[in-house]
Amino acid sequence: MCGIALSIGPEADPAIFRRMLAVLAPRGEVTEARYETGLLAGTRRLRVVDRERAVQPWTSADERWLLCFNGEVYNHRELRAELAALGHAFRGDSDTEVLLAAFERWGANAVHRLRGEYAFAVVERATGRVYLARDPLGVKPLYWTRKPGCLHLASEVKALVGHGAPIGEVPPGHHGWADAGGHVRLRPYLDLLTLGAGLPLIDDPDEAALLVRAALRDSIRVRVDTDLRVGVVLSGGLDSSLVLRHVRELHPDCVAVTVGVPGSPDVAYARRVAADLGVPHEVVELRPRDIRLADIREAIRISELTEYGDIINAVVSVPLFRRLRQLGVKVALTGDGSDELFGGYPMYHEVGPVASRRLFLHKIRNLGRTELQRVDRTSMDHGVEARVPFLDLSVVELAMRLPLELKMRDGQEKWIVRRAFADALPDYVRRRPKDPMSYSSGLHERARLYKPFFARLHRSFGYHLLEPVRRDFDSVLTRCGNDLDRAIADGLARPDYTVLEHARDLVGAATWNAAPMVRRLVGPRRTRGDEAPLPG
């Protein structure tokens, strides 16, 4: 939807605020701001819903409240009808207006009624108090920092590093108030640990398959409720292919985009899927040598990520969303979150059910600073709003109620998803095993060559004011035998890679990257008569 920035307090400086808002320029199309004594608020708005009238900051009819909002509320029409029946008069058709009306009516309890991906701030103009909230999974971000006499808020860390002070984050599923003195007090309004608690386990495969099918379809339905062309990030795997299949059915004005090395698994599978579904398809073809240190630096600058593996995936994501924006796409759907929910990682199946559930919850609770942060930053840096249907709260709650044996069966991960859509996708997609994004694109090893530079580049942007770069938790977990407590302790004791670990990694990456050159040098030279025949 946009990027938001606020400076609240007697020392709020318009020049500093303008610089903060300018940093967020890629997240939207128009800059909208309001300047008052002690309150500077603005957005860089990506116009998606009620494009001409949903101007921000949005103020209540009585001028008491001011809202800055990033994201989408997918049930805004239902909420509008409920609020209208209670006597609220609306000026436009935006979810922005509905959100503030819901807050006026229900206060902090309004978050329990929202279905969507959001982060927002509501300021009481007379007192300078500000209410903050972020969606349960952390799809949309919100950060803050405090200087004497001023509280600064922004959608991205890079907008706050210029203050030189420690930066805090509004955690996923949290809300609360900051007072005029800048003291931020947040608490959870939804605890993922208890989601689905008290509801019966769904252990019948037929019932589970029907529920998974219905939940995912409905989640995609509300995310394509737009008159804009919709993009789909397509790897050719199970999850993204399912998203594309539903988008094509529910919103035919769509396009799929894939990134990868020519001939890589992602490119090969995606071409076939898009052709079979009859969807326009764009492929961003990169060769490993196309990725250079400047691309690594740019991916770190954009993504603000703090784990090495996520940074590598960001390197692959940046050109993908760049191409979507070139195509004029402002709304895109991805398949992110399915692996975490439906058993797409081997670790879930290598421990007992109690330990597996703990690992499952740890993954879900950290998505906001890992995979979802990568998706938000790399998409919004190109003015594309990425939506994640697998992480609709209804889908997450359903996954919480499914036993592990429905997620992994007969050696297949995400078994229940494959069962649910057995008639919806061709066998070559349903049988394709899980393959991490950067690996299946064919670009992982090239990006890995630059890993020793990651931490230094991260610090150069000031992102350590939030948190420093650290080892990939999945790698730590594997070395600790999937013992979560041991892995957390090990990560705290030795957060970053050692020089020796970097050296070993560099040798491995260098060997992989040198292999094609060695083959060209020592292999037999082809003559014109030796050329391979063209297919067909």
Side-chain angles (χ1 to χ4, degrees):
M1 176 69 171
C2 57
I4 66 175
L6 300 96
S7 293
I8 305 166
E11 298 301 317
D13 185 323
I16 292 174
F17 169 73
R18 281 192 291 270
R19 287 197 292 271
M20 288 169 51
L21 197 53
V23 169
L24 302 175
R27 294 184 71 95
E29 303 161 288
V30 293
T31 298
E32 299 166 344
R34 182 160 177 158
Y35 295 81
E36 302 177 3
T37 302
L39 171 57
L40 311 173
T43 66
R44 180 67 178 172
R45 184 164 64 94
L46 186 65
R47 293 179 289 192
V48 175
V49 180
D50 198 7
R51 293 187 282 275
E52 300 306 318
R53 292 181 295 180
V55 177
Q56 293 195 46
W58 187 272
T59 54
S60 58
D62 62 4
E63 296 283 313
R64 178 183 176 185
W65 302 104
L66 176 147
L67 168 68
C68 286
F69 166 46
N70 170 31
E72 298 287 346
V73 175
Y74 299 122
N75 63 334
H76 69 94
R77 287 188 177 86
E78 294 89 336
L79 291 173
R80 175 187 300 274
E82 183 178 358
L83 289 161
L86 292 170
H88 189 92
F90 288 93
R91 292 171 270 168
D93 297 317
S94 72
D95 56 339
T96 302
E97 184 177 10
V98 170
L99 176 57
L100 187 54
F103 176 81
E104 287 185 272
R105 182 73 189 188
W106 298 303
N109 287 324
V111 289
H112 297 291
R113 295 172 175 262
L114 304 179
R115 181 185 188 183
E117 300 154 350
Y118 52 82
F120 63 89
V122 180
V123 184
E124 188 174 42
R125 293 174 56 240
T127 65
R129 290 196 313 150
V130 56
Y131 171 78
L132 309 173
R134 187 178 178 191
D135 66 73
L137 276 298
V139 180
K140 289 301 173 186
L142 188 57
Y143 302 92
W144 58 274
T145 191
R146 187 170 57 233
K147 298 285 284 184
C150 193
L151 174 70
H152 302 284
L153 301 157
S155 294
E156 297 187 11
V157 176
K158 60 178 66 69
L160 298 174
V161 294
H163 301 294
I167 295 170
E169 179 180 16
V170 177
H174 279 62
H175 68 160
W177 290 88
D179 60 30
H183 301 289
V184 181
R185 298 177 181 86
L186 303 171
R187 66 184 189 281
Y189 65 85
L190 186 145
D191 185 358
L192 290 176
L193 290 171
T194 62
L195 196 61
L199 297 174
L201 207 63
I202 304 168
D203 54 7
D204 177 75
D206 293 332
E207 180 188 6
L210 287 173
L211 290 172
V212 167
R213 187 172 179 126
L216 182 61
R217 178 184 171 82
D218 186 62
S219 178
I220 294 173
R221 176 189 63 80
V222 300
R223 285 166 173 78
V224 296
D225 182 13
T226 177
D227 61 347
L228 298 171
R229 192 182 198 195
V230 171
V232 175
V233 176
L234 179 66
S235 69
L238 176 69
D239 309 318
S240 63
S241 298
L242 274 176
V243 171
L244 181 63
R245 189 255 188 200
H246 283 88
V247 172
R248 185 210 60 175
E249 177 187 342
L250 297 166
H251 193 89
D253 185 12
C254 62
V255 61
V257 177
T258 303
V259 63
V261 171
S264 65
D266 276 7
V267 171
Y269 275 94
R271 285 191 192 278
R272 188 175 178 185
V273 170
D276 285 350
L277 292 175
V279 175
H281 185 214
E282 293 277 335
V283 176
V284 182
E285 289 193 340
L286 294 175
R287 288 169 174 77
R289 65 176 179 271
D290 295 333
I291 295 178
R292 301 181 182 275
L293 183 59
D295 301 296
I296 304 296
R297 178 183 174 84
E298 181 67 355
I300 292 174
R301 183 195 69 78
I302 291 170
S303 69
E304 307 173 348
L305 287 159
T306 56
E307 287 192 23
Y308 285 81
D310 294 317
I311 290 171
I312 289 174
N313 285 339
V315 174
V316 178
S317 299
V318 168
L320 189 153
F321 286 108
R322 181 186 299 132
R323 183 59 183 142
L324 275 167
R325 187 54 176 161
Q326 290 168 350
L327 293 170
V329 171
K330 291 198 286 187
V331 172
L333 273 65
T334 83
D336 292 284
S338 176
D339 291 314
E340 287 76 11
L341 292 181
F342 295 107
Y345 295 106
M347 65 179 183
Y348 289 158
H349 317 289
E350 295 169 355
V351 296
V354 174
S356 175
R357 183 167 179 82
R358 290 191 67 213
L359 291 173
F360 167 78
L361 291 169
H362 181 87
K363 268 282 189 185
I364 296 297
R365 295 178 80 176
N366 279 275
L367 279 173
R369 64 165 196 81
T370 55
E371 195 161 332
L372 291 177
Q373 182 169 321
R374 169 186 60 81
V375 171
D376 173 79
R377 300 300 193 282
T378 56
S379 62
M380 292 303 293
D381 192 74
H382 297 93
V384 177
E385 181 184 287
R387 301 177 175 182
V388 283
F390 276 100
L391 293 176
D392 191 275
L393 207 58
S394 64
V395 181
V396 176
E397 181 179 291
L398 175 59
M400 295 277 197
R401 298 175 59 197
L402 300 180
L404 189 62
E405 53 267 26
L406 290 187
K407 297 179 180 182
M408 169 67 88
R409 182 178 287 194
D410 303 328
Q412 273 197 330
E413 84 283 355
K414 295 183 285 191
W415 180 85
I416 192 61
V417 179
R418 299 175 198 275
R419 167 77 175 270
F421 296 98
D423 63 338
L425 289 174
D427 284 346
Y428 66 87
V429 172
R430 289 192 298 111
R431 293 174 181 171
R432 184 185 177 188
K434 162 69 180 171
D435 204 353
M437 176 185 183
S438 56
Y439 285 94
S440 54
S441 69
L443 297 166
H444 177 95
E445 292 297 326
R446 179 66 179 187
R448 188 165 71 103
L449 192 63
Y450 299 100
K451 276 179 70 174
F453 299 102
F454 286 8
R456 188 174 70 189
L457 290 171
H458 189 270
R459 286 193 301 273
S460 75
F461 294 115
Y463 298 157
H464 61 287
L465 291 170
L466 176 68
E467 58 178 327
V469 166
R470 52 183 176 233
R471 290 183 295 163
D472 299 310
F473 189 76
D474 286 350
S475 300
V476 176
L477 196 59
T478 299
R479 292 185 184 183
C480 293
N482 293 320
D483 184 319
L484 184 60
D485 294 324
R486 277 183 58 202
I488 291 173
D490 187 70
L492 292 172
R494 192 162 56 91
D496 202 357
Y497 290 106
T498 65
V499 173
L500 180 59
E501 285 173 323
H502 268 314
R504 289 173 179 168
D505 198 55
L506 185 60
V507 169
T511 301
W512 185 93
N513 280 275
M517 184 180 296
V518 172
R519 285 196 296 270
R520 287 197 297 270
L521 291 173
V522 303
R525 294 187 177 181
R526 284 187 172 184
T527 64
R528 293 179 66 89
D530 292 331
E531 291 177 357
L534 293 172

